[in-house]
């Protein structure tokens, strides 16, 4: 029989590391139905039992304040896994056990994985796991997720608990005389009417009513409006009493008593300290330097530059190999297939289109590897902490930093999870300002475009230019946020508190899994979405064909060259005629006519009609810009003796120079988000704000591009 298990825990408790240790590469990522939060499942085998392990989103609580908390709770009550592994940070046990209390109250079959025992030992913290297990009445297994220590014992305990077929037994925690009395009344009423009893234990529902949990309240109203109203009246009465006598709401009393319950357990000899509790730990000593007000930001910029230096220096050779490989493949198709639409589609639509995107896989891979190091080591949390000081100046919150980083603040992210990450912001106006500006970051989709143009026109200092364009994205995003917070989203900033996890050495296994996951998503997108769009755009750039009279003129020119013995190098002349015919065909196509119609305006920014076609394709997905440029600049490239990369073709084209490249980069970085991001913005806010994002960003980006081009050409910098 297959066992179903779930992994829950606080952020930064080592949950992802443990998940990777247990499942390795046997995992897949999807989405929970109706909600855009990652759904990660892995398969493993232990004691000849096949186990499906679901990695639940990291959360501190199970009260419905965020999508992550909702997903965790809904999964547990709807799927009812046979075992829930709750991973806790042994070096910060009191805070981590708060979630454990809520899981116990829900009654799930629980196994506690006591992680980071090595960190706790270094801090002089000794934990008696057996005593903690006896007091909590659940298995407690010491582990070190990073090294895999304790993994077998943890799985043994999980399989043993799962095969016992234990029922869910909710744990009762006292919340003081006043609330316990109200809870008893609530439980009696819930039991009598069977309100939500098929999903939640009666006492758990009663607690959620006292905590004013929006989701439970809404479910109660839909299930039994009369009973729900009676329960809410009882809660309001209790709330009025606690506010009058203690000046607090019931949810605060509940939180205090949970921590009291935890302390009562830990003070029974479970935890002892060998060192002075005021002692500075290694992470604290490192933070005194890395998060210093003056030195910290400088080190942060140096690390960012080092990431780009590493990425470009290590990926240069494999990127060249891939470009040559796709060039060779195009030559083979050119020499093998007869002339016609099929040949044109394969070469221009598939090889030069998708191949242009796949050619940057090594660069993307090294970038993701670098980001994984910063993430797994705990440094990205320090970046968020330091950036809070700057973000406050621009009317944003420190919690806005992570959505910016997730969206590509250090390059290689994605605006979609960045937009969704804004859910953690409590202030609606700060959330909206963050949501509208995270698409300005250099996401993974923009990376190939940046790498293409920087590599073609600034090859001597690629890392430096990528670093500068990343800084530009931050500056522009913050200025735009300040504009929004000073106008349509005016309001005071809210305070920011965050947890800084201890520094850890990333494991090679974890780094490789993270790198492969993200790289695979990029390759999968190129082989599906980008392939489809590339073929569609090839068709738009191919049809309708040239009118017969114009096609006949080109044929007459070819015949004249072939029959004129006085012409030197006739093959070169014919290639020039073929290129001219193909360019005329492209310009006569649907896409060509549309691109040409925009040229009177876009030439202000230095964009010709072929560039316009690519930029329009970028509305669907930013990677399409590379594939469309590859298609547009390959149609008519029939010189089979010399295959050139897209970058080389752009550099030789008379419509391109360094100023045009910078103007194009600025426009691509800041114009309308891709289609998926626009839909995500609409879901997270409204279609009004999604439309605002498209229109505002495009006008703003084009204005910047025009400024860059006009100033650059005025000073003759091209």
């Amino acid at each position: 029989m297959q066992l179903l298990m779930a992994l829950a825990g606080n952020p930064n408790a080592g949950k992802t590391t443990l998940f990777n240790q247990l499942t390795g590469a046997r995992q897949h990522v999807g989405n929970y139905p109706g909600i855009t939060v990652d759904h990660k499942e892995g398969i493993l085998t232990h004691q000849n039992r096949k186990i499906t392990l679901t990695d639940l989103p990291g959360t501190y609580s199970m009260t419905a304040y965020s999508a992550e908390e909702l997903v965790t709770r809904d999964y547990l009550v709807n799927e009812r896994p046979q075992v829930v592994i709750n991973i806790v940070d042994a070096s910060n046990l009191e805070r981590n056990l708060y979630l454990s209390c809520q899981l116990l109250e829900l009654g799930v079959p629980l196994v506690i994985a006591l992680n980071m025992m090595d960190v706790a030992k270094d801090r002089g913290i000794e934990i008696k796991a057996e005593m903690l297990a006896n007091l909590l009445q659940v298995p407690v297994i010491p582990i070190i997720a990073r090294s895999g220590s304790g993994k077998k014992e943890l799985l043994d305990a999980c399989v043993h608990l799962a095969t016992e077929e234990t029922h869910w037994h909710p744990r009762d925690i006292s919340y003081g005389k006043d609330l316990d009395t109200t809870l008893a009344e609530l439980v009696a009423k819930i039991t009598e009417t069977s309100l939500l009893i098929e999903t939640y234990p009666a006492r758990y529902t009663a607690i959620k009513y006292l905590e004013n949990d929006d989701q439970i309240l809404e479910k109660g109203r839909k299930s039994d409006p009369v009973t729900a109203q009676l329960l809410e009246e009882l809660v309001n009465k209790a709330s009025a009493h606690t506010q009058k006598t203690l000046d607090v709401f019931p949810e605060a009393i509940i939180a205090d008593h949970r921590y009291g319950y935890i302390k009562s357990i830990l003070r029974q000899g479970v935890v002892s300290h060998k060192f002075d509790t005021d002692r500075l730990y290694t992470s604290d000593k490192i933070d005194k330097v890395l998060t210093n007000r003056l030195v910290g930001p400088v080190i942060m910029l140096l690390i960012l530059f080092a990431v780009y230096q590493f990425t470009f220096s290590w990926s240069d050779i494999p990127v060249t190999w891939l470009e040559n490989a796709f060039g060779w493949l195009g030559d083979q198709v050119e020499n093998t297939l007869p002339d016609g639409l099929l040949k044109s589609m394969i070469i221009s639509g598939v090889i030069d289109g998708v191949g242009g995107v796949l050619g940057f896989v090594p660069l993307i891979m090294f970038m993701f590897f670098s980001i994984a190091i910063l993430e797994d080591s705990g440094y990205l949390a320090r970046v968020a902490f330091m950036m809070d000081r700057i973000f406050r100046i621009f009317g944003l919150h420190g919690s806005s930093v992570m959505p910016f980083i997730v969206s590509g603040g250090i390059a290689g992210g994605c605006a979609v999870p960045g937009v969704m990450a804004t859910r953690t912001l409590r202030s609606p106006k700060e959330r909206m300002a963050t949501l509208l500006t995270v698409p300005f970051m250099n996401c993974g989709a923009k990376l190939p475009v940046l790498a293409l143009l920087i590599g073609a026109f600034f090859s001597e200092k690629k890392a430096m230019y990528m670093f500068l364009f990343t800084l530009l994205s931050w500056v522009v995003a913050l200025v735009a946020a300040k504009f929004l917070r000073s106008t349509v989203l005016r309001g005071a900033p809210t305070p920011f508190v965050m947890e800084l996890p201890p520094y850890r050495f990333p494991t090679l296994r974890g780094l490789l899994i993270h790198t492969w996951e993200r790289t695979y998503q990029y390759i999968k997108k190129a082989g599906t979405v980008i392939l489809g769009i590339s073929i569609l755009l090839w068709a738009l750039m191919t049809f309708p064909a040239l009118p017969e009279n114009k096609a006949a003129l080109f044929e007459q020119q070819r015949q004249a060259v072939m029959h004129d013995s006085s012409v030197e190098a006739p093959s070169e002349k014919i290639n020039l005629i073929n290129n001219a015919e193909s360019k005329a065909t492209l310009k006569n196509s649907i896409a060509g006519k549309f691109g040409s119609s925009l040229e009177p305006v876009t030439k202000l920014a230095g964009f010709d009609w072929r560039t316009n076609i690519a930029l329009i394709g970028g509305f669907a997905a930013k990677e399409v810009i590379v594939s469309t440029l590859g298609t547009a600049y390959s149609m008519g490239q029939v010189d089979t003796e010399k295959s050139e990369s897209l970058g080389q073709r752009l550099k030789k084209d008379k419509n391109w120079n360094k100023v045009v490249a910078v103007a194009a980069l600025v426009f691509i970085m800041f114009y309308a988000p891709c289609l998926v991001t626009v839909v995500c913005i609409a879901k997270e806010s409204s279609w009004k704000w999604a439309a605002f994002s498209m229109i505002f960003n495009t006008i703003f980006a084009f204005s910047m591009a025009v400024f860059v081009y006009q100033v650059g050409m005025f000073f003759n910098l091209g």
Side-chain angles (χ1 to χ4, degrees):
M1 183 180 73
Q2 184 168 322
L3 302 178
L4 180 63
M5 299 185 186
L7 179 59
N10 291 178
N12 301 313
K15 188 168 61 66
T16 302
T17 305
L18 177 61
F19 182 74
N20 289 336
Q21 275 284 356
L22 295 176
T23 63
R26 301 177 301 280
Q27 51 186 255
H28 68 272
V29 181
N31 287 112
Y32 292 95
I35 194 164
T36 44
V37 173
D38 277 352
H39 176 192
K40 221 176 195 182
E41 276 190 357
I43 304 295
L44 64 144
T45 303
H46 188 73
Q47 294 183 2
N48 296 320
R49 305 297 293 269
K50 188 178 180 182
I51 300 169
T52 298
L53 182 65
T54 298
D55 184 18
L56 299 173
T59 177
Y60 294 106
S61 165
M62 284 179 58
T63 300
Y65 291 131
S66 71
E68 286 74 17
E69 292 161 348
L70 277 175
V71 162
T72 298
R73 188 170 71 194
D74 286 348
Y75 180 86
L76 293 176
V77 298
N78 294 329
E79 301 299 326
R80 299 186 77 84
Q82 287 139 305
V83 175
V84 176
I85 302 170
N86 176 210
I87 185 167
V88 303
D89 179 357
S91 64
N92 202 349
L93 194 56
E94 184 177 323
R95 181 185 55 69
N96 276 244
L97 285 176
Y98 187 82
L99 178 63
S100 307
C101 279
Q102 293 180 296
L103 292 169
L104 290 169
E105 286 181 310
L106 186 57
V108 301
L110 194 66
V111 173
I112 291 179
L114 203 57
N115 189 30
M116 290 189 256
M117 293 297 290
D118 52 340
V119 176
K121 185 178 179 182
D122 291 342
R123 294 185 175 186
I125 302 171
E126 185 179 339
I127 300 172
K128 296 177 181 177
E130 287 186 14
M131 182 181 289
L132 180 61
N134 289 331
L135 292 169
L136 288 176
Q137 299 173 22
V138 296
V140 177
I141 312 297
I143 66 166
I144 303 173
R146 190 170 59 84
S147 65
S149 173
K151 181 173 72 173
K152 181 182 179 299
E153 292 80 2
L154 176 63
L155 289 174
D156 286 343
C158 290
V159 171
H160 178 72
L161 182 61
T163 51
E164 281 185 345
E165 296 185 1
T166 54
H167 298 288
W168 286 34
H169 296 296
R171 188 73 52 85
D172 289 357
I173 297 174
S174 173
Y175 292 113
K177 182 180 177 182
D178 290 337
L179 291 192
D180 281 351
T181 302
T182 304
L183 275 173
E185 293 180 55
L186 293 170
V187 169
K189 196 67 184 173
I190 291 167
T191 306
E192 179 189 335
T193 59
S194 299
L195 181 72
L196 305 179
I197 210 79
E198 72 285 350
T199 308
Y200 306 100
R203 183 178 170 85
Y204 186 84
T205 302
I207 292 169
K208 291 302 157 190
Y209 262 86
L210 280 172
E211 288 183 315
N212 198 30
D213 187 295
D214 289 336
Q215 189 203 38
I216 300 296
L217 291 176
E218 186 62 30
K219 284 187 175 183
R221 290 167 191 150
K222 288 181 179 178
S223 176
D224 187 343
V226 176
T227 302
Q229 186 176 352
L230 288 172
L231 295 178
E232 288 179 39
E233 287 173 0
L234 285 171
V235 169
N236 290 336
K237 184 179 176 182
S239 180
H241 178 71
T242 59
Q243 288 180 69
K244 184 178 179 180
T245 56
L246 302 171
D247 195 27
V248 292
F249 288 95
E251 52 261 46
I253 297 174
I254 290 172
D256 285 344
H257 277 77
R258 281 185 184 138
Y259 277 116
Y261 173 76
I262 294 166
K263 286 178 180 178
S264 70
I265 289 174
L266 298 184
R267 287 176 180 173
Q268 294 184 51
V270 171
V271 179
S272 59
H273 295 267
K274 291 183 180 179
F275 306 141
D276 181 2
T277 53
D278 293 329
R279 176 176 176 263
L280 275 180
Y281 303 123
T282 304
S283 286
D284 301 321
K285 292 176 181 176
I286 297 171
D287 280 338
K288 286 181 76 68
V289 178
L290 292 188
T291 62
N292 181 275
R293 283 182 175 271
L294 298 176
V295 180
V298 176
I299 295 174
M300 180 177 68
L301 293 175
L302 289 174
I303 289 173
L304 178 58
F305 180 73
V307 166
Y308 290 129
Q309 191 66 48
F310 165 77
T311 300
F312 279 103
S313 59
W314 280 73
S315 66
D316 200 29
I317 293 175
V319 165
T320 303
W321 286 346
L322 273 178
E323 284 181 345
N324 292 338
F326 282 111
W328 174 85
L329 184 60
D331 291 344
Q332 298 307 304
V333 174
E334 173 70 39
N335 294 328
T336 305
L337 291 180
D339 292 339
L341 289 175
L342 178 63
K343 178 178 177 179
S344 174
M345 185 191 75
I346 293 175
I347 294 176
S348 297
V350 178
I351 296 174
D352 288 308
V354 177
V357 177
L358 289 176
F360 291 100
V361 164
L363 184 140
I364 296 293
M365 185 178 68
F366 283 112
M367 180 67 74
F368 285 153
F369 183 79
S370 304
I371 301 303
I373 292 174
L374 299 181
E375 202 172 13
D376 291 2
S377 66
Y379 183 71
L380 280 190
R382 274 73 186 177
V383 172
F385 173 75
M386 288 186 288
M387 291 298 290
D388 173 57
R389 303 165 191 161
I390 299 170
F391 271 48
R392 287 186 164 279
I393 299 170
F394 295 92
L396 291 179
H397 191 270
S399 296
S400 302
V401 179
M402 289 316 293
F404 275 78
I405 292 174
V406 168
S407 298
I410 308 183
C414 178
V416 172
V419 167
M420 292 186 294
T422 61
R423 293 169 179 169
T424 58
L425 276 73
R426 298 287 182 254
S427 165
K429 290 183 178 178
E430 288 174 342
R431 178 175 179 270
M432 189 58 64
T434 307
L435 182 146
L436 292 172
T437 50
V438 292
F440 285 151
M441 296 293 103
N442 290 330
C443 64
K446 295 176 188 174
L447 268 185
V449 194
L450 270 66
L452 169 70
L453 296 179
I454 290 172
F457 295 96
F458 309 100
S459 56
E460 65 282 357
K461 293 181 179 178
K462 288 187 282 191
M464 175 63 75
Y465 276 95
M466 183 66 88
F467 174 72
L468 292 174
F469 279 114
T470 299
L471 292 186
L472 178 65
S473 69
W474 280 93
V475 170
V476 169
L478 290 175
V479 170
K482 182 66 174 178
F483 170 76
L484 292 170
R485 293 284 282 134
S486 303
T487 53
V488 292
L489 298 171
R490 193 175 300 157
T494 54
F496 170 61
V497 179
M498 77 167 297
E499 173 196 5
L500 294 180
Y503 288 101
R504 308 184 188 98
F505 281 106
T507 63
L508 182 61
R509 178 190 180 93
L511 293 176
L512 292 177
I513 288 174
H514 288 154
T515 303
W516 168 245
E517 282 176 348
R518 295 168 182 176
T519 306
Y520 174 72
Q521 291 299 318
Y522 178 83
I523 295 171
K524 183 180 176 183
K525 191 175 181 182
T528 53
V529 177
I530 307 303
L531 175 61
I533 295 173
S534 293
I535 293 174
L536 174 63
L537 286 169
W538 166 84
L540 292 173
M541 287 187 276
T542 303
F543 300 104
L546 268 181
E548 290 185 8
N549 58 335
K550 291 187 179 180
L553 287 175
F554 285 109
E555 182 59 32
Q556 287 173 14
Q557 292 176 24
R558 277 190 292 268
Q559 292 297 328
V561 170
M562 291 171 63
H563 292 93
D564 190 347
S565 58
S566 63
V567 175
E568 296 181 5
S571 60
E572 291 183 13
K573 293 281 187 182
I574 290 174
N575 278 337
L576 289 173
I577 295 168
N578 290 341
N579 287 338
E581 182 182 18
S582 187
K583 189 173 179 180
T585 302
L586 176 59
K587 201 160 189 176
N588 184 66
S589 67
I590 296 170
K593 287 177 180 177
F594 191 58
S596 299
S597 69
L598 296 174
E599 198 172 39
V601 177
T602 61
K603 70 180 181 183
L604 294 172
F607 305 154
D608 71 343
W609 58 278
R610 280 189 286 190
T611 305
N612 292 343
I613 297 171
L615 296 176
I616 292 165
F619 276 100
K622 294 298 182 281
E623 303 100 325
V624 172
I625 296 171
V626 174
S627 62
T628 310
L629 284 172
T631 302
Y633 282 87
S634 72
M635 295 179 79
Q637 196 75 19
V638 294
D639 186 358
T640 58
E641 295 180 3
K642 186 178 182 182
S643 178
E644 291 181 320
S645 69
L646 176 56
Q648 291 170 325
R649 292 179 218 160
L650 293 178
K651 195 171 182 180
K652 288 182 177 181
D653 192 275
K654 62 182 178 64
N655 292 307
W656 281 85
N657 55 44
K658 289 186 176 182
V659 174
V660 175
V662 173
L665 283 169
V666 167
F667 183 78
I668 291 163
M669 284 168 60
F670 303 125
Y671 84 116
C674 68
L675 189 60
V676 179
T677 304
V678 171
V679 172
C680 189
I681 291 173
K683 285 184 177 179
E684 294 294 319
S685 54
S686 68
W687 279 106
K688 180 186 75 173
W689 284 113
F692 173 83
S693 178
M694 290 183 69
I695 296 167
F696 173 78
N697 290 20
T698 303
I699 293 173
F700 174 75
F702 186 68
S703 301
M704 283 191 68
V706 171
F707 176 78
V708 168
Y709 178 73
Q710 296 297 335
V711 171
M713 295 307 291
F714 179 80
F715 288 103
N716 200 27
L717 299 175

